[in-house]
Amino acid sequence: METNISDSELKFPNKYERKIHKIVINRSKGIEKIRNILFSYPSINKYVYEFKKIQKFYGISYLTNTHFSKNSTNSSSNGRIFPEFLLPGFPKCGSTSLWYYLNQHPNIFGTKHKETHFFSYDFKKGFNYYAMNFPINKHNPTQITFEASQSYLHDKFTMKRIQKKTPKMKFIVLFRNPVQKTISTYNDLVNNNLEVDSLHDCIKNEDERLAIWKKRHEYGTLTPYTYGRCLPYLHVATYVEHMKNALELFPREQFLFLDTQNLKNSPQSIIEKCFEFLDLPNFVVDTTKKNIGSYSSNLTNKAYEESSFLKKYFQPLNKQLQDLLGMNFNWD
């Protein structure tokens, strides 16, 4: 049954998101408090977000070299190396570690900002904007490039855009036990003040959250700084639904599917599979783990109270995923 969603619920921030903002603002102080207040005003926040992103990943000179350069409008056709592969998977599944490992190879260049979200939430900015994330071909003609936006598999519009632009694109997708992934995602959002309800209540409101999520994708109103709100936890971890859509657009041989647990247990052997998939010579990498979340035991225990329900919910969906991909993930 389709859930009716009002226009006010689709706009950002909606009633629930304003509730989050109010709590966060009350908890914060100083400059951070001002930043959180600005977040409630999207027309202002988009400029703050863009500036902070540029400052963190590129440096202020990026503004003068791209946005204010007379030659910037021709950048997408001026020898930039567009990505040959993507890590389009799912949040909290190990993509940060994999991005770090792959980026060590001398023939691979990963974007400074790991998740550009270009094909999903910044597509309207155009390919000239996207191209500035990548090096000029003449500097290293043997180099291949990639990025790792964890929003690309979540809606059909994104994958269609990628297929239209680069039909030969390769994809490396990590899958984590969806029960663990759901709890980890929830804990991460709570730690970052992006979630205030219990996981039980979030799941109870899944239908409404999913309706908002899908409409926002359809209307193109999500942005890199708003997509983590009102998250439909069950939907984003239903891998089989997202992979069916992707495999309708790209042939199976353009995908390498990996289990996050295997990456954790045997990182070098998994990285070697990636290099082979990308037709690159082998390379020994530093396999230090990255982006390891730390949560209070109280928070984790509360979330794990839902694990019995989650396990039962995902069990038949996991079987469908295994049949679709021809793999066995051994998720208990």
Side-chain angles (χ1 to χ4, degrees):
M1 181 181 295
E2 185 174 346
T3 302
N4 292 323
I5 299 297
S6 67
D7 290 341
S8 62
E9 290 174 299
L10 292 177
K11 292 179 180 179
F12 178 87
N14 61 24
K15 181 179 179 180
Y16 174 73
E17 290 158 339
R18 287 195 297 272
K19 172 185 173 183
I20 295 176
H21 293 164
K22 184 176 181 179
I23 293 173
V24 172
I25 289 169
N26 289 336
R27 289 175 179 172
S28 57
K29 297 179 181 180
I31 297 297
E32 191 61 27
K33 190 180 191 74
I34 296 173
R35 174 75 178 91
N36 290 327
I37 292 173
L38 290 176
F39 195 85
S40 300
Y41 300 90
S43 59
I44 298 176
N45 189 58
K46 67 179 180 181
Y47 297 109
V48 177
Y49 170 85
E50 188 72 13
F51 180 82
K52 286 178 69 69
K53 183 186 76 172
I54 291 170
Q55 183 184 42
K56 179 178 180 179
F57 295 104
Y58 304 105
I60 300 302
S61 61
Y62 176 86
L63 285 169
T64 56
N65 292 336
T66 59
H67 288 59
F68 305 129
S69 171
K70 293 181 179 179
N71 296 323
S72 66
T73 55
N74 296 320
S75 61
S76 65
S77 58
N78 193 23
R80 296 282 173 176
I81 309 175
F82 267 57
E84 293 189 24
F85 74 99
L86 298 171
L87 307 185
F90 307 93
K92 312 309 295 181
C93 288
S95 64
T96 299
S97 289
L98 184 57
W99 179 89
Y100 170 73
Y101 301 154
L102 293 173
N103 211 21
Q104 295 177 48
H105 195 287
N107 295 112
I108 294 180
F109 175 92
T111 52
K112 290 184 178 180
H113 188 197
K114 170 178 154 285
E115 300 193 43
T116 71
H117 296 294
F118 171 72
F119 285 101
S120 51
Y121 308 137
D122 271 344
F123 191 68
K124 57 182 176 241
K125 292 184 177 180
F127 287 105
N128 294 336
Y129 172 86
Y130 186 50
M132 297 312 299
N133 289 284
F134 304 100
I136 298 174
N137 183 57
K138 66 180 181 181
H139 293 165
N140 190 344
T142 63
Q143 198 170 51
I144 64 174
T145 67
F146 80 108
E147 51 122 331
S149 296
Q150 303 304 287
S151 55
Y152 285 175
L153 285 173
H154 288 148
D155 78 298
K156 58 186 178 183
F157 306 104
T158 293
M159 295 303 287
K160 284 182 178 178
R161 291 171 189 147
I162 297 173
Q163 197 275 339
K164 184 176 181 179
K165 175 64 178 178
T166 52
K168 300 296 184 181
M169 182 72 76
K170 289 186 174 182
F171 303 92
I172 301 176
V173 184
L174 280 164
F175 298 103
R176 182 182 183 183
N177 183 321
V179 176
Q180 298 173 0
K181 176 255 187 299
T182 299
I183 294 172
S184 181
T185 300
Y186 171 77
N187 285 337
D188 185 57
L189 292 179
V190 171
N191 270 13
N192 285 285
N193 295 315
L194 301 178
E195 187 68 78
V196 295
D197 285 353
S198 68
L199 182 56
H200 174 81
D201 286 340
C202 292
I203 292 173
K204 186 172 67 174
N205 296 324
E206 173 80 10
D207 289 347
E208 181 180 359
R209 285 170 170 249
L210 180 56
I212 293 172
W213 173 268
K214 286 188 173 182
K215 285 294 184 182
R216 283 178 167 177
H217 274 92
E218 181 182 345
Y219 295 162
T221 57
L222 288 173
T223 70
Y225 50 88
T226 63
Y227 78 99
R229 279 68 176 172
C230 280
L231 196 71
Y233 290 93
L234 302 182
H235 172 73
V236 297
T238 303
Y239 306 134
V240 65
E241 180 177 341
H242 309 303
M243 292 315 308
K244 281 180 179 178
N245 174 62
L247 289 169
E248 287 177 357
L249 297 168
F250 295 91
R252 174 68 168 78
E253 59 267 22
Q254 287 176 221
F255 289 86
L256 175 63
F257 300 120
L258 303 171
D259 191 329
T260 300
Q261 191 62 43
N262 292 336
L263 179 67
K264 179 180 179 180
N265 294 339
S266 305
Q268 184 62 45
S269 64
I270 295 300
I271 296 304
E272 290 175 5
K273 287 184 178 181
C274 294
F275 293 151
E276 181 181 1
F277 174 68
L278 299 170
D279 298 319
L280 291 174
N282 196 15
F283 186 79
V284 178
V285 302
D286 171 15
T287 55
T288 304
K289 294 181 177 64
K290 298 292 178 181
N291 199 30
I292 301 174
S294 58
Y295 316 111
S296 70
S297 58
N298 184 47
L299 174 62
T300 303
N301 289 337
K302 284 182 178 180
Y304 267 99
E305 290 175 3
E306 298 300 318
S307 61
S308 178
F309 165 80
L310 292 172
K311 183 176 180 180
K312 184 177 180 180
Y313 178 85
F314 284 117
Q315 195 169 40
L317 297 170
N318 294 340
K319 177 64 167 59
Q320 293 175 34
L321 178 69
Q322 291 179 154
D323 292 343
L324 177 68
L325 303 184
M327 298 176 65
N328 186 3
F329 289 101
N330 294 315
W331 291 328
D332 296 326

